[in-house]
Amino acid sequence: MSEQRVVVVGAGMAGVQTAVALRELGHTGEVLLLGAETHRPYDRPPLSKDVLLGKAEHSRFEVDYAGMGVELLLGRRALALDTDARSLATDAGTLRYDRLVLATGAHPIPLPGRPAGAQLLRTHDDAVALKASLRPGARIVVVGAGWIGAEAATVARQLGCEVTVLEAASVPLAGALPADIGERMRGWYAEAGAELRTGAAVGGVRESSVLLTDGTELAADAVVVGIGARPETGWLDGSGIALDERGAVAADDRLRTSAPDVFAVGDCASFPSARYATRLTVHHWDNALQGAKVAAANVLGADERYDPVPYFWSEQFGRMVQYAGHHRPGDELLWRGDPSQATGWGALWLRGDTPVALLAVDRPRDLAQGRRLIERATPLDRARAADPEVQLKAATVA
Ligand code: FAD
């Protein structure tokens, strides 16, 4: 591999970590890291937290690219891929590769018709633009009560805006969590002074208002849309790289794609999970970090399997919400603590006696312990696991 050129497409968390890992694993050949944005690579989670709040100006990664011998090609977009010729067409010429890593992330889903007044929150520029609208007293309409919507609403309230959150489903976080759990989060909005309207579908966005499909018109100084994200893979059309039914690069359990020497990692990819017996697409930070290490190792000829217990966190309405694992309909839901109390609580999903997923609200220790129990598939005693006074690691079957 010493003379091999590795090209990484996408300079977000997954791409940067892949480049760093290649060097850490001793690769001495060229590493080219291509990013469509002109900003130096940065982390996204702070965009809906400290950057939006004004506590941080940017969230750039602290990586010495030049010192590591990583050639950073910013403001350069990959346009097409020819896997037979091992060449990547970009908007500034063609690049040859020996090994290629696809790490182009995801793009936010816009409202139908992409109304001009609706702002998205994916990039540093998006966060800066939205921040300018979050003035005290400004009427902010957030479309979508998912992770991004909840965090944007949190910050907008902290900055003194009037906030209305519109959610088409009947509860917050309907796409990620069972309705029973989402229902317990409804009160968080009111408590923070934000109005949450569920069952509210947006019909259109005007210059200074939002129109609901039921005819209601809400005045809005700014509208922010957080209704999900799709893998950024359109540029691979015609390349022959296999995508899954959701448009993610269908990687295998080594993060290899359908083309020789082409790997995929992060938000743009899905992979088969033996642990959960399903193909997973994980649009969360930890997947970009952990997947990158495996992708880099396999680029260099290792044979590492990627089968993580997925993890993410969200900071909303003064709470730390963390989730590890993967649940599916039919898994038993076990409450841990009382969600109606101000103190932290959680929920466990069990298959038989084995924990497969955990939600922890303001209980980071539960998350740390639960994640290990899930990783090791350690059977739990239901009564003890439901008791928040008992540490999770002490709730195992005797
Ligand atoms: P990305 O970060 O999307 O990076 C992909 C990069 O590729 C982009 O910079 C893009 O410009 C570039 N690119 C795309 N196409 C091309 C091309 N054709 N050529 C060249 N470059 C290209 N996760 C959590 O677990 N917790 C959180 O609290 C959390 N908060 C978040 C807050 C926000 C506002 C956002 C947007 C995401 C948040 N996430 C969070 C998710 C997490 O940030 C993502 O899962 C992670 O950024 C994925 O990294 P990635 O490198 O796969 O993709």
Side-chain angles (χ1 to χ4, degrees):
M1 279 296 293
S2 62
E3 297 307 313
Q4 304 269 296
R5 171 189 271 192
V6 184
V7 176
V8 181
V9 191
M13 183 69 185
V16 167
Q17 290 300 326
T18 301
V20 168
L22 285 166
R23 286 294 182 234
E24 284 176 352
L25 291 168
H27 179 57
T28 52
E30 279 181 282
V31 177
L32 273 54
L33 177 59
L34 200 72
E37 294 177 69
T38 49
H39 298 293
R40 283 184 81 75
Y42 59 87
D43 209 8
R44 288 182 205 282
L47 298 182
S48 52
K49 305 173 184 72
D50 283 1
V51 173
L52 198 54
L53 196 54
K55 270 188 165 176
E57 268 184 31
H58 63 79
S59 51
R60 287 196 283 266
F61 297 119
E62 286 186 20
V63 174
D64 178 4
Y65 302 95
M68 293 192 95
V70 171
E71 194 175 340
L72 203 49
L73 302 171
L74 296 179
R76 192 153 172 194
R77 181 176 287 279
L79 301 175
L81 172 61
D82 180 340
T83 58
D84 292 332
R86 293 187 182 237
S87 78
L88 189 69
T90 79
D91 53 7
T94 300
L95 289 173
R96 176 197 59 78
Y97 68 84
D98 297 304
R99 303 274 156 95
L100 182 70
V101 180
L102 308 175
T104 46
H107 60 264
I109 301 173
L111 284 175
R114 298 176 180 264
Q119 295 178 256
L120 299 165
L121 181 50
R122 179 81 197 176
T123 65
H124 174 81
D125 291 344
D126 291 342
V128 170
L130 180 58
K131 174 150 184 41
S133 308
L134 301 185
R135 294 178 303 275
R139 294 158 305 179
I140 307 298
V141 172
V142 178
V143 182
W147 304 114
I148 300 283
E151 293 196 350
T154 300
V155 172
R157 280 302 298 143
Q158 283 176 290
L159 293 173
C161 305
E162 284 179 28
V163 177
T164 306
V165 181
L166 304 174
E167 170 55 56
S170 58
V171 287
L173 286 167
L177 296 171
D180 252 13
I181 294 186
E183 192 55 49
R184 314 296 166 123
M185 296 168 168
R186 183 187 293 277
W188 298 358
Y189 288 76
E191 195 186 281
E195 186 189 354
L196 170 65
R197 296 195 189 188
T198 50
V202 173
V205 175
R206 295 184 174 157
E207 203 181 315
S208 52
S209 68
V210 174
L211 205 59
L212 303 188
T213 49
D214 68 3
T216 312
E217 192 167 0
L218 292 172
D221 297 308
V223 180
V224 53
V225 178
I227 55 172
R230 292 212 177 97
E232 179 62 40
T233 54
W235 68 280
L236 291 167
D237 283 356
S239 67
I241 296 278
L243 304 183
D244 67 18
E245 72 282 358
R246 289 172 174 178
V249 176
D252 70 5
D253 60 357
R254 266 67 179 169
L255 299 179
R256 295 174 296 216
T257 72
S258 56
D261 296 328
V262 181
F263 297 76
V265 64
D267 281 14
C268 74
S270 66
F271 54 90
S273 164
R275 186 187 292 280
Y276 293 107
T278 188
R279 178 165 281 280
L280 294 179
T281 314
V282 182
H283 281 189
H284 296 300
W285 186 91
D286 191 60
N287 175 58
L289 173 66
Q290 307 303 339
K293 295 177 188 163
V294 173
N298 290 340
V299 162
L300 300 181
D303 187 31
E304 285 187 22
R305 177 134 65 104
Y306 188 57
D307 196 5
V309 169
Y311 163 73
F312 69 84
W313 82 98
S314 170
E315 295 163 40
Q316 44 179 285
F317 307 113
R319 291 171 174 84
M320 174 59 95
V321 181
Q322 293 169 292
Y323 177 98
H326 175 76
H327 68 271
R328 62 180 188 212
D331 292 335
E332 179 189 347
L333 180 64
L334 187 73
W335 294 96
R336 181 165 161 81
D338 181 355
S340 65
Q341 300 298 314
T343 51
W345 53 275
L348 275 157
W349 284 264
L350 301 175
R351 220 165 279 167
D353 291 336
T354 308
V356 291
L358 166 77
L359 175 80
V361 178
D362 285 338
R363 290 185 66 97
R365 196 194 299 183
D366 274 5
L367 191 284
Q369 295 180 6
R371 194 176 180 179
R372 278 195 292 277
L373 295 169
I374 294 167
E375 266 160 14
R376 295 174 192 158
T378 311
L380 290 181
D381 174 280
R382 281 181 179 64
R384 292 173 66 72
D387 181 350
E389 300 299 323
V390 176
Q391 285 201 38
L392 263 185
K393 66 179 180 190
T396 54
V397 171

